[in-house]
Amino acid sequence: MSELASERVTGTRTRRLVPYAVALGFILAVAGLSGVPVIANPLRPSSTRITAEFPRTVGLYPQSRVLVQGVRSGTVQDVEPAGNKVKVTITVRDVALAPDATATVRLRSLIGERYVELGPVWSGEGPRLEDGAVIPLARTKVPAEVNE
């Protein structure tokens, strides 16, 4: 087969694949824009789920802010009473915390809305706070109430 004929066959095959490639790209784009996870994203922030035990959590609700060193890093997912304590489930994104991390409920405003502050961050050496970890009552703090 001549070089020209070989080039025509290759060009024909390529032209046949172009509509399929365009259709596949369109389908992936539409799925991605609609929120369907199409391909694993290596740039997606990693998240850590933590449960902190507090003696009380007046003014703390699901979707309340979570700050690490003054930067918004997550949200409160759930606030669940459990006997003499309250279990607060927190999701933190893009931050590694030290294994001895503490959680403090802070006042966001005088009206009552509150947020959780976590710290210290992981130093980069040794173990870090793992996903599913629990911060016990001994390492949590809440502000004094007006009536105390």
Side-chain angles (χ1 to χ4, degrees):
M1 194 167 10
S2 73
E3 194 176 303
L4 184 58
S6 174
E7 218 174 278
R8 274 191 235 147
V9 171
T10 305
T12 304
R13 286 183 188 156
T14 303
R15 275 188 243 128
R16 276 192 232 158
L17 292 177
V18 168
Y20 293 111
V22 169
L24 179 64
F26 178 75
I27 290 169
L28 289 174
V30 169
L33 289 173
S34 65
V36 176
V38 179
I39 299 172
N41 182 356
L43 301 176
R44 181 176 173 218
S46 62
S47 64
T48 305
R49 196 171 186 92
I50 301 164
T51 301
E53 299 174 341
F54 291 97
R56 63 186 180 281
T57 56
V58 177
L60 192 66
Y61 306 102
Q63 302 307 314
S64 292
R65 295 178 182 197
V66 175
L67 279 65
V68 177
Q69 292 187 335
V71 178
R72 186 170 182 179
S73 301
T75 55
V76 170
Q77 299 299 313
D78 191 31
V79 179
E80 178 185 341
N84 64 343
K85 59 188 172 189
V86 180
K87 291 184 177 183
V88 177
T89 306
I90 299 167
T91 301
V92 181
R93 293 175 306 281
D94 280 341
V95 177
L97 295 165
D100 60 343
T102 61
T104 306
V105 173
R106 301 237 185 241
L107 290 169
R108 184 167 174 216
S109 67
L110 293 174
I111 320 174
E113 188 176 353
R114 302 187 182 200
Y115 66 91
V116 177
E117 185 171 331
L118 298 173
V121 296
W122 180 53
S123 66
E125 295 180 7
R128 60 181 172 179
L129 196 66
E130 295 297 326
D131 189 46
V134 175
I135 299 176
L137 277 169
R139 295 196 330 247
T140 61
K141 298 176 189 170
V142 293
E145 298 296 326
V146 176
N147 60 358
E148 291 181 10

